[in-house]
């Protein structure tokens, strides 16, 4: 027989609650792309080009290096979209270095390199073209790529060579090779991005699948026990405190106060990250993520094993610090520990997203088993607060903090290359520019809590799936994510507050269905009558 340590189990559950506070802080959908600041100029004849990202292939003494990234100007000749259609040219610095006056020598058959300087970009282009240059690369004085537009005096501009900007670090790399008298050759082309981002669809399926699996987890892993639990819940439902459905499971029902507490805490934590973001801070978060992911993976693997092979959990042992645990649980814990450690060590590799997504999904499924919404009243408070939270920290915060707090935090510590792991991400396999599509855990957990409630309500009320709420809220969640990615596309990849689209498509749909079916009052007050008879006023966190 397996043994159970209530105090140890309660500690594990409460540690998951603490992790949920961290997870809910990250609620943004974005694309991890090379970006530039918006500093566009005026449109005039000869100055109407669309800004395009450019790949700059480079060879140093005939050896090809990593490609550099540039941004075309609003004027000048366009570049081919394929490398095979472009031409490879040697490179030379202009004299004077800022190209703000006539160049001192000819640059026929060369790509001209210029520093940013103080004169207009159009002036540089005219001087480079007059010297016979095949193209002009302007080296910026910072890492961002600014849009090179036209001035008011450029009423009729005729520049026939390609003009683009590269970052300071890219220019420094080229300069080092040229100072050492090495031959540097460049090839320029501007590959087109696909109109439809198929990997975003995969990420959408991952998010919806996580919510569906979490909502149906007890039915999938132990249907007999789940049916018994739903029968108990149908007779007596409490909305406050911690209530045991069986001897080994404790659940935290969020109260109205608790809902506000979650959002306020998430906001404070987000601000702390914004102001004190550093490599050690991200390291601490990453370690917390590994611990939570390891615990979630253990719970999921054990549930699947015991679903078919319950006898494997009979042998137990007592271990220092860990207490009593079954041999199978110990082996699974060791496997999960090895998986988490391996991901932590390899988290900067190109394939680390796989381990991050596995740990994240396991953590979120477990979190949705621990914390839940008791009724639509609490769901409305939580999701409406989250709705405002998401919009404020993505769109409104730049007006106060001069940057989008949510997006800055999601990007992590740029100086060390460390990034926040509290999001699902997947490479853009079909995009020549690469990068990642990402969705924050909050965009899965917030609607997941509501959809899990709908699943329990349908089961307790013995609803046919088409006449219930679970199916339609799941569909609404998928539609909300689709609208989020449409917003990403229309706003050129600028991070979107996904809950702006998801909350109306889930909570709004639940309220509308409740009104149409005449069940909104029941959904709103579900469990309150029983709670008032048997419980004291609820508290956002259960007593230990």
């Amino acid at each position: 027989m397996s043994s159970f340590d209530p105090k140890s189990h309660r500690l594990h559950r409460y540690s998951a609650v603490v992790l949920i506070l961290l997870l809910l802080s990250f609620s943004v959908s974005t694309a991890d792309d090379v970006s530039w600041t918006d500093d566009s100029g005026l449109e005039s004849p000869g100055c109407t080009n669309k800004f395009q990202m450019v790949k700059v292939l480079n060879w140093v003494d005939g050896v090809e290096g990593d490609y550099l990234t540039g941004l075309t100007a609003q004027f000048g000749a366009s570049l081919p979209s394929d490398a095979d259609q472009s031409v490879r040219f040697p490179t030379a610095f202009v004299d004077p270095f800022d190209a703000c006056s006539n160049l001192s020598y000819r640059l026929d058959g060369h790509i001209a390199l210029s520093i940013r300087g103080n004169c207009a970009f159009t002036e540089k282009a005219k001087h480079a073209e007059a010297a016979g240059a095949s193209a002009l690369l302007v080296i910026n004085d910072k890492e961002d790529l600014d849009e090179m537009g036209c001035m008011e005096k450029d009423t009729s501009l005729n520049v026939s060579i390609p003009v683009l900007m590269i970052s300071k670090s890219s220019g420094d790399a080229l300069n080092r090779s040229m100072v050492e008298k090495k031959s540097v050759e460049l090839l320029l082309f501007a590959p087109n991005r696909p109109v439809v981002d198929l990997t975003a669809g995969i990420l959408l399926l991952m998010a919806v699948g996580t919510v569906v699996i979490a909502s149906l987890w007890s039915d999938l892993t132990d249907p007999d026990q789940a049916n018994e639990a739903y029968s108990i819940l149908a007779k007596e439902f409490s909305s406050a405190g911690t209530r045991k459905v069986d001897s080994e499971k404790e659940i935290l029902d969020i109260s109205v106060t608790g809902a506000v507490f979650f959002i306020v805490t998430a906001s404070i934590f987000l601000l702390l990250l914004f102001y004190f973001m550093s490599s050690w801070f991200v390291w601490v978060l990453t370690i917390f993520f590994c611990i939570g992911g390891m615990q979630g993976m253990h719970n999921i693997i054990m549930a699947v094993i015991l679903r078919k092979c319950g006898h494997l959990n009979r042998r137990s042992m007592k271990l220092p610090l860990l207490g009593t645990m079954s041999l199978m649980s110990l082996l699974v814990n060791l496997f999960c520990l090895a998986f988490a450690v391996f991901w932590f060590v390899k988290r900067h590799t190109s394939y680390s997203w796989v381990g991050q997504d596995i740990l994240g999904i396991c953590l979120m499924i477990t979190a949705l088993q621990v914390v839940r919404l008791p009724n639509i009243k609490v769901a409305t408070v939580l999701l409406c607060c989250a709705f405002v939270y998401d919009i404020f920290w993505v769109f409104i915060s730049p007006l106060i903090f001069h940057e989008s707090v949510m997006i800055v935090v999601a990007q992590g510590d740029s100086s060390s290359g460390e990034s926040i792991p509290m999001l699902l991400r997947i490479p853009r396999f079909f995009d020549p520019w690469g990068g990642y599509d990402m969705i924050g855990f909050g965009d899965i957990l917030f609607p997941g809590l509501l959809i899990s409630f709908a699943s329990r309500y349908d089961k307790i009320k013995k609803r046919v799936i088409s006449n219930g709420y679970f199916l339609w809220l799941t569909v609404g969640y998928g539609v909300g994510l689709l609208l989020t990615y449409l917003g990403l596309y229309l706003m050129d990849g600028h991070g979107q507050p996904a809950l702006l689209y998801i909350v109306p498509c889930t909570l709004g749909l639940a309220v509308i269905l409740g009104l149409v079916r005449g069940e909104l009052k029941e959904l709103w007050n579900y469990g309150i009558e029983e709670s008032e008879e048997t419980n004291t006023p609820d508290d956002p966190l259960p007593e230990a």
Side-chain angles (χ1 to χ4, degrees):
M1 295 291 292
S2 63
S3 59
F4 173 67
D5 183 353
K7 291 184 179 179
S8 174
H9 189 76
R10 186 178 294 112
L11 179 61
H12 291 163
R13 290 287 179 179
Y14 291 171
S15 65
V17 172
V18 173
L19 278 168
I20 290 169
L21 290 174
L22 303 181
L23 304 183
L24 292 178
S25 302
F26 304 98
S27 180
V28 61
S29 293
T30 184
D32 178 21
D33 298 323
V34 178
S35 60
W36 61 91
T37 59
D38 187 1
D39 187 28
S40 56
L42 302 173
E43 285 196 6
S44 60
C47 195
T48 58
N49 291 355
K50 180 181 179 181
F51 296 105
Q52 286 185 294
M53 299 301 296
V54 179
K55 284 192 175 183
V56 182
L57 303 184
N58 67 95
W59 290 262
V60 178
D61 286 343
V63 179
E64 184 173 0
D66 295 333
Y67 74 84
L68 310 176
T69 301
L71 178 68
T72 59
Q74 202 174 15
F75 52 88
S78 60
L79 289 168
S81 60
D82 194 287
D84 295 334
Q85 300 171 352
S86 188
V87 180
R88 181 168 153 185
F89 289 106
T91 304
F93 268 104
V94 299
D95 183 19
F97 286 136
D98 59 5
C100 287
S101 59
N102 293 329
L103 305 189
S104 60
Y105 49 81
R106 299 287 299 177
L107 290 173
D108 297 281
H110 284 72
I111 294 177
L113 284 176
S114 162
I115 64 173
R116 176 156 183 166
N118 297 317
C119 60
F121 296 120
T122 53
E123 198 173 328
K124 299 176 188 292
K126 290 176 183 177
H127 292 150
E129 184 177 16
S134 301
L136 172 65
L137 267 66
V138 178
I139 302 171
N140 204 4
D141 52 11
K142 55 185 177 181
E143 286 308 297
D144 293 330
L145 300 177
D146 296 330
E147 294 178 345
M148 295 188 291
C150 300
M151 307 292 288
E152 290 184 8
K153 62 181 181 180
D154 298 318
T155 55
S156 182
L157 190 64
N158 184 22
V159 176
S160 59
I161 62 172
V163 181
L164 61 144
M165 176 175 284
I166 60 176
S167 67
K168 183 179 185 300
S169 59
S170 297
D172 290 342
L174 295 177
N175 182 49
R176 282 194 297 270
S177 298
M178 296 175 71
V179 166
E180 296 172 2
K181 305 298 182 182
K182 295 180 179 179
S183 170
V184 177
E185 297 176 296
L186 303 179
L187 184 146
L188 315 176
F189 67 106
N192 297 320
R193 310 199 85 148
V195 177
V196 179
D197 183 11
L198 297 180
T199 55
I202 300 174
L203 190 63
L204 185 151
L205 292 176
M206 289 168 58
V208 174
T210 298
V211 170
V212 170
I213 292 173
S215 301
L216 304 176
W217 185 249
S218 58
D219 298 303
L220 296 173
T221 56
D222 197 344
D224 295 334
Q225 188 177 13
N227 288 331
E228 180 182 351
Y230 285 127
S231 298
I232 295 172
L233 287 172
K235 297 176 182 178
E236 182 179 356
F237 191 94
S238 170
S239 70
T242 302
R243 175 172 34 77
K244 290 187 178 182
V245 175
D246 57 67
S247 61
E248 298 190 7
K249 189 173 184 180
E250 291 184 358
I251 294 171
L252 173 66
D253 281 338
I254 301 176
S255 65
V256 170
T257 306
V260 177
F261 172 77
F262 273 125
I263 300 301
V264 172
T265 305
S267 295
I268 293 172
F269 184 68
L270 197 65
L271 272 179
L272 287 174
L273 281 172
F274 178 74
Y275 281 115
F276 303 105
M277 176 70 72
S278 61
S279 57
W280 70 265
F281 206 153
V282 179
W283 266 55
V284 172
L285 288 178
T286 304
I287 292 172
F288 271 109
F289 170 76
C290 288
I291 294 171
M294 185 178 72
Q295 180 181 335
M297 182 182 289
H298 169 267
N299 293 341
I300 288 174
I301 293 176
M302 286 298 296
V304 172
I305 291 176
L306 298 180
R307 172 75 171 85
K308 295 293 184 181
C309 309
H311 63 280
L312 295 177
N313 204 39
R314 292 174 182 171
R315 295 186 59 185
S316 62
M317 60 182 66
K318 192 169 185 178
L319 301 173
L321 301 178
L322 298 178
T324 303
M325 90 171 33
S326 69
L327 178 60
M328 177 56 65
S329 179
L330 175 61
L331 294 176
V332 172
N333 264 316
L334 291 175
F335 168 78
C336 296
L337 176 62
F339 186 95
V341 170
F342 179 80
W343 174 81
F344 183 84
V345 173
K346 299 290 186 179
R347 66 188 183 282
H348 296 303
T349 60
S350 60
Y351 53 84
S352 65
W353 64 274
V354 177
Q356 179 174 328
D357 289 352
I358 291 174
L359 289 171
I361 289 172
C362 290
L363 176 53
M364 285 187 287
I365 290 176
T366 300
L368 289 173
Q369 309 307 305
V370 177
V371 180
R372 66 189 192 184
L373 297 172
N375 50 48
I376 290 296
K377 176 184 177 181
V378 178
T380 300
V381 173
L382 178 66
L383 291 178
C384 286
C385 288
F387 179 82
V388 175
Y389 164 90
D390 216 10
I391 295 173
F392 178 84
W393 291 116
V394 176
F395 283 159
I396 302 177
S397 62
L399 301 177
I400 303 173
F401 303 96
H402 308 294
E403 289 182 290
S404 174
V405 172
M406 185 77 76
I407 293 176
V408 169
V409 170
Q411 291 172 344
D413 180 30
S414 57
S415 62
S416 64
E418 296 288 347
S419 59
I420 304 295
M422 279 73 170
L423 44 81
L424 296 185
R425 62 190 181 110
I426 185 170
R428 306 178 105 182
F429 296 112
F430 309 103
D431 191 329
W433 288 102
Y436 291 86
D437 283 318
M438 301 179 287
I439 183 170
F441 284 176
D443 299 326
I444 299 174
L445 289 174
F446 280 122
L449 289 168
L450 176 61
I451 294 172
S452 294
F453 165 75
S455 174
R456 294 193 308 275
Y457 181 85
D458 288 351
K459 185 75 174 179
I460 293 169
K461 297 296 182 179
K462 296 181 171 53
R463 292 289 180 85
V464 178
I465 188 168
S466 59
N467 293 327
Y469 291 86
F470 171 71
L471 173 64
W472 302 114
L473 294 192
T474 302
V475 172
Y477 178 48
V479 172
L481 287 175
L482 281 175
L483 293 176
T484 302
Y485 290 115
L486 178 61
L488 272 172
Y489 174 76
L490 295 177
M491 295 187 68
D492 295 323
H494 186 279
Q496 294 293 295
L499 295 178
L500 169 65
Y501 310 94
I502 293 172
V503 170
C505 292
T506 51
L507 179 63
L509 180 59
V511 171
I512 291 172
L513 285 176
L515 283 171
V516 171
R517 296 171 178 177
E519 299 172 342
L520 183 58
K521 184 177 180 180
E522 179 184 0
L523 289 167
W524 186 267
N525 298 310
Y526 193 63
I528 290 180
E529 292 83 0
E530 292 88 344
S531 175
E532 291 176 346
E533 294 175 3
T534 59
N535 292 284
T536 58
D538 56 355
D539 189 82
L541 293 175
E543 295 181 359

